[in-house]
Amino acid sequence: MEGRRSSSSYHRHHRYEFDEDEDEIKKGPWKEEEDQVLINHVKKYGPRDWSSIRSKGLLQRTGKSCRLRWVNKLRPNLKNGVKFSGEEERTVIELQGQFGNKWARIATYLPGRTDNDVKNFWSSRQKRLARILRTSQNNTTQTCAFPLILEAPKLSSSREHEESLSKSQSCSSSYIDNSDHMMNQQLVPLEDLVMTPDSIAFEPNMLMHHQLDIMSITTIPNDEKKLGIIESSHIPTHDDFALPLENQEFPIMPNFIDVFGHGFDNVEIPFVKRQIEKPLTPDSFIDDFPLDMFKHIEPLQSPSQW
DNA sequence: AACTCCCTCAACCGCGACGGT
DNA sequence: GACCGTCGCGGTTGAGGGAGT
């Protein structure tokens, strides 16, 4: 049966070689010989019957482990060791907004990427953002003025979408759930937001998805604008958002970029005063996003359309 | 050089879905 | 319908390594 060791004991065994006990299940890093056995099995029988690999005595690995090894490392045409391109990052962010944490589904849109790849990519982003938020909290004495939504925005009214959304919202914020720093955030409907006269921070996904039904808002005193929050005499109204994005006077996206300390140097940013005294962190959330990543989010083809 | 912090990646676990008996 | 085995998915963990101090 699988799971004979607890997860904590796994790591004690992680670096061990083969166990002496014949019945013992081998865990930990795969060796080249094991990979070869697995590859031969797939050549012969296809990527299935994983459990038979062990029952035939070919490997002391569980079927589960074999499948995972094949799917994540041995499958042909995988982009192992290749960083996510800007296009891939765009795709993940867009699809996470659409599907929630459906990594396997998202991975089907990314040739050569596995669900594990996508999952790791996303969670490292989340962790980084959480760290940035903490850092910013420590650097200010007042309530953090920051876009605080970490979840994907609502996008459609389909049932599946709603379900995946609710799951993703509960999951994707897991890295910060325990943080005291999040206490002052609140979600407000756009209707409330646009009437709020104080400084406003927006969340990037809203622009990406043209979704403005939920926003994150925080207010800060005028003398605490260290984070590049918009200082504008122009409070956005419904009319601002009714315009096509390229015609919107209110500079949502540049504001977001500025909040994270990395404005678009080649973009004119009206209304935004760059008052960042020091960057929040050199590797802030979006600094390796390509400059044009939010300019044109195109509808994605589903794999069935390829 | 030593230490700490953070990121990436590989691999595990638990759980639910599914199919066969 | 109940049970069981298998598979697939999502969440989590920790080793290893790079960067910063």
Side-chain angles (χ1 to χ4, degrees):
Chain A
M1 200 49 194
E2 297 174 11
R4 291 162 67 172
R5 290 187 183 122
S6 69
S7 61
S8 59
S9 69
Y10 151 67
H11 291 287
R12 269 180 267 131
H13 294 263
H14 192 80
R15 296 151 85 179
Y16 286 7
E17 298 302 315
F18 286 97
D19 267 301
E20 298 302 318
D21 185 348
E22 275 296 300
D23 292 335
E24 201 67 20
I25 293 168
K26 172 81 171 18
K27 296 184 180 181
W30 281 67
K31 290 185 169 181
E32 218 174 305
E33 309 91 82
E34 295 178 285
D35 283 345
Q36 203 51 57
V37 171
L38 187 52
I39 289 167
N40 290 339
H41 173 87
V42 173
K43 272 182 188 166
K44 213 167 170 181
Y45 304 103
R48 62 181 79 85
D49 295 333
W50 301 113
S51 55
S52 73
I53 296 172
R54 179 156 178 264
S55 62
K56 287 175 183 168
L58 298 173
L59 290 172
Q60 293 302 106
R61 300 272 186 176
T62 64
K64 213 171 182 177
S65 178
C66 292
R67 180 192 151 270
L68 206 64
R69 181 66 180 172
W70 173 259
V71 168
N72 288 339
K73 293 303 294 180
L74 302 179
R75 205 158 37 115
N77 304 321
L78 289 178
K79 294 180 183 173
N80 279 326
V82 180
K83 280 194 76 172
F84 272 60
S85 68
E87 184 62 35
E88 287 174 317
E89 294 189 5
R90 273 193 290 277
T91 303
V92 172
I93 292 164
E94 168 74 7
L95 292 175
Q96 204 279 343
Q98 274 187 45
F99 303 139
N101 295 3
K102 299 293 179 187
W103 308 123
R105 186 170 180 182
I106 293 170
T108 63
Y109 291 82
L110 298 163
R113 300 296 185 186
T114 69
D115 58 342
N116 220 24
D117 292 334
V118 178
K119 193 165 53 181
N120 284 334
F121 165 75
W122 187 261
S123 57
S124 67
R125 293 266 154 187
Q126 291 286 92
K127 284 178 183 175
R128 197 186 306 176
L129 178 55
R131 185 171 52 82
I132 292 166
L133 289 170
R134 280 196 303 274
T135 304
S136 71
Q137 281 289 317
N138 294 337
N139 291 344
T140 56
T141 56
Q142 300 286 327
T143 298
C144 177
F146 221 82
L148 289 170
I149 293 177
L150 294 183
E151 301 85 7
K154 288 188 176 184
L155 278 183
S156 79
S157 56
S158 76
R159 206 166 67 87
E160 181 186 7
H161 195 161
E162 292 292 327
E163 288 170 0
S164 69
L165 175 71
S166 64
K167 280 189 177 180
S168 75
Q169 287 183 330
S170 66
C171 297
S172 62
S173 60
S174 61
Y175 291 107
I176 57 167
D177 277 349
N178 296 329
S179 170
D180 293 335
H181 309 311
M182 304 306 285
M183 291 184 65
N184 289 310
Q185 71 169 303
Q186 57 178 320
L187 299 179
V188 297
L190 176 62
E191 289 77 7
D192 298 339
L193 175 69
V194 296
M195 299 305 292
T196 306
D198 281 319
S199 301
I200 299 167
F202 291 92
E203 208 282 329
N205 284 347
M206 292 181 299
L207 179 72
M208 293 170 58
H209 303 301
H210 303 195
Q211 283 289 315
L212 298 168
D213 56 342
I214 297 178
M215 285 187 166
S216 172
I217 177 172
T218 54
T219 62
I220 56 174
N222 285 333
D223 58 350
E224 277 292 321
K225 294 188 172 67
K226 293 181 179 179
L227 294 170
I229 300 303
I230 288 174
E231 273 190 301
S232 172
S233 58
H234 178 82
I235 302 302
T237 67
H238 287 290
D239 290 342
D240 289 305
F241 299 108
L243 292 168
L245 280 173
E246 60 270 25
N247 296 337
Q248 285 179 8
E249 190 180 358
F250 191 67
I252 301 170
M253 198 54 223
N255 171 54
F256 164 71
I257 297 301
D258 223 49
V259 162
F260 284 88
H262 295 260
F264 289 162
D265 291 332
N266 58 342
V267 173
E268 276 294 312
I269 306 176
F271 306 123
V272 177
K273 286 185 184 175
R274 294 177 177 237
Q275 292 197 343
I276 300 165
E277 290 168 355
K278 87 178 190 186
L280 294 167
T281 169
D283 60 343
S284 65
F285 181 58
I286 46 77
D287 63 352
D288 52 351
F289 283 7
L291 294 181
D292 63 343
M293 74 168 287
F294 300 111
K295 286 184 181 169
H296 43 74
I297 303 296
E298 294 175 359
L300 292 155
Q301 286 187 330
S302 80
S304 61
Q305 293 175 284
W306 295 346

